[in-house]
Amino acid sequence: LAKTTQPISMDSYEGQEVNITCSHNNIATNDYITWYQQFPSQGPRFIIQGYKTKVTNEVASLFIPADRKSSTLSLPRVSLSDTAVYYCLVGSTSGTYKYIFGTGTRLKVLA
Amino acid sequence: NAGVTQTPKFQVLKTGQSMTLQCAQDMNHEYMSWYRQDPGMGLRLIHYSVGAGITDQGEVPNGYNVSRSTTEDFPLRLLSAAPSQTSVYFCASSSRGTGNTIYFGEGSWLTVV
């Protein structure tokens, strides 16, 4: 299982782009990288998933360098409603399915 | 489209009591798990299952039991509740077909007094 390391917290202002980096030095060949968002009093929800290079969807982009030892979640033009905890998770469906979450990054968006 | 359903949403227990948190998913996912989340903290894996009849321990399994008799259901049993088990409990499921995309329930808030 690839252990992940993220910054504990980040502050940003509305309208700015936010980049949250996750380190996963022991990532395995079959591992995907998935990011989740959690609002207070709710379960985490899927944001984006990738294996290599860049993935973009309607809410975020995920950048993964060639060595895949880190990944960066990019949130364009954040708003107050993006205040949440963001988790990166590394795992594979050919592995043990023992999905261990890291501490997550607490993002606070300021007006 | 129910997804992952947890019951009860809120529960207060006295120390030493036992109870079962129910979890059901209607997505035919083979993988299910239970996490606990203490206030201001991250998610910690309690137990997980890769299919009916197969369960295994996570990071913090002590004080909890699980069973997986069907694909749909994965109940979590607290054997003898302790104040240290006061937490929010999340059930989750996923499938090989979705990579490691995990779908979470809405949580069960448990207070042990």
Side-chain angles (χ1 to χ4, degrees):
Chain A
L1 295 169
K3 181 179 178 180
T4 60
T5 303
Q6 303 174 231
I8 295 296
S9 64
M10 296 178 67
D11 288 346
S12 181
Y13 288 94
E14 281 191 293
Q16 289 187 331
E17 178 184 73
V18 171
N19 296 310
I20 305 174
T21 297
C22 180
S23 173
H24 27 80
N25 291 319
N26 297 321
I27 190 168
T29 302
N30 293 331
D31 285 341
Y32 284 82
I33 300 156
T34 311
W35 284 80
Y36 295 85
Q37 176 190 56
Q38 185 181 28
F39 296 116
S41 302
Q42 295 185 23
R45 66 176 188 177
F46 171 89
I47 301 176
I48 196 167
Q49 182 181 76
Y51 183 80
K52 62 180 178 180
T53 64
K54 177 184 174 182
V55 179
T56 298
N57 62 21
E58 62 276 9
V59 297
S61 294
L62 178 58
F63 299 92
I64 305 169
D67 66 6
R68 305 202 325 123
K69 294 184 182 298
S70 66
S71 59
T72 299
L73 173 72
S74 181
L75 304 172
R77 298 180 299 281
V78 294
S79 65
L80 295 175
S81 63
D82 292 316
T83 294
V85 179
Y86 293 83
Y87 295 94
C88 107
L89 180 67
V90 173
S92 166
T93 57
S94 62
T96 65
Y97 299 89
K98 191 174 182 178
Y99 297 134
I100 305 295
F101 282 82
T103 58
T105 297
R106 192 172 299 272
L107 173 66
K108 184 174 183 180
V109 180
L110 307 169
Chain B
N1 189 9
V4 180
T5 303
Q6 295 182 227
T7 55
K9 191 163 180 73
F10 299 99
Q11 183 71 48
V12 179
L13 283 179
K14 293 182 178 179
T15 298
Q17 286 185 320
S18 62
M19 78 156 298
T20 299
L21 298 177
Q22 302 291 344
C23 176
Q25 52 94 6
D26 61 358
M27 299 173 283
N28 201 33
H29 286 172
E30 62 269 27
Y31 171 80
M32 296 186 73
S33 56
W34 277 101
Y35 292 87
R36 63 174 286 175
Q37 186 172 40
D38 299 336
M41 305 296 287
L43 299 155
R44 291 188 291 172
L45 180 65
I46 305 172
H47 285 285
Y48 65 103
S49 168
V50 299
I54 306 170
T55 64
D56 207 345
Q57 296 182 349
E59 303 173 273
V60 289
N62 292 338
Y64 307 94
N65 272 356
V66 292
S67 61
R68 184 97 179 269
S69 57
T70 67
T71 299
E72 295 78 20
D73 301 302
F74 191 45
L76 178 72
R77 283 183 289 277
L78 280 71
L79 309 174
S80 177
S84 61
Q85 293 179 303
T86 293
S87 191
V88 182
Y89 292 84
F90 291 102
C91 180
S93 74
S94 69
S95 168
R96 291 186 184 92
T98 64
N100 62 348
T101 302
I102 302 172
Y103 297 83
F104 286 85
E106 294 185 347
S108 295
W109 272 253
L110 176 67
T111 301
V112 183
V113 297

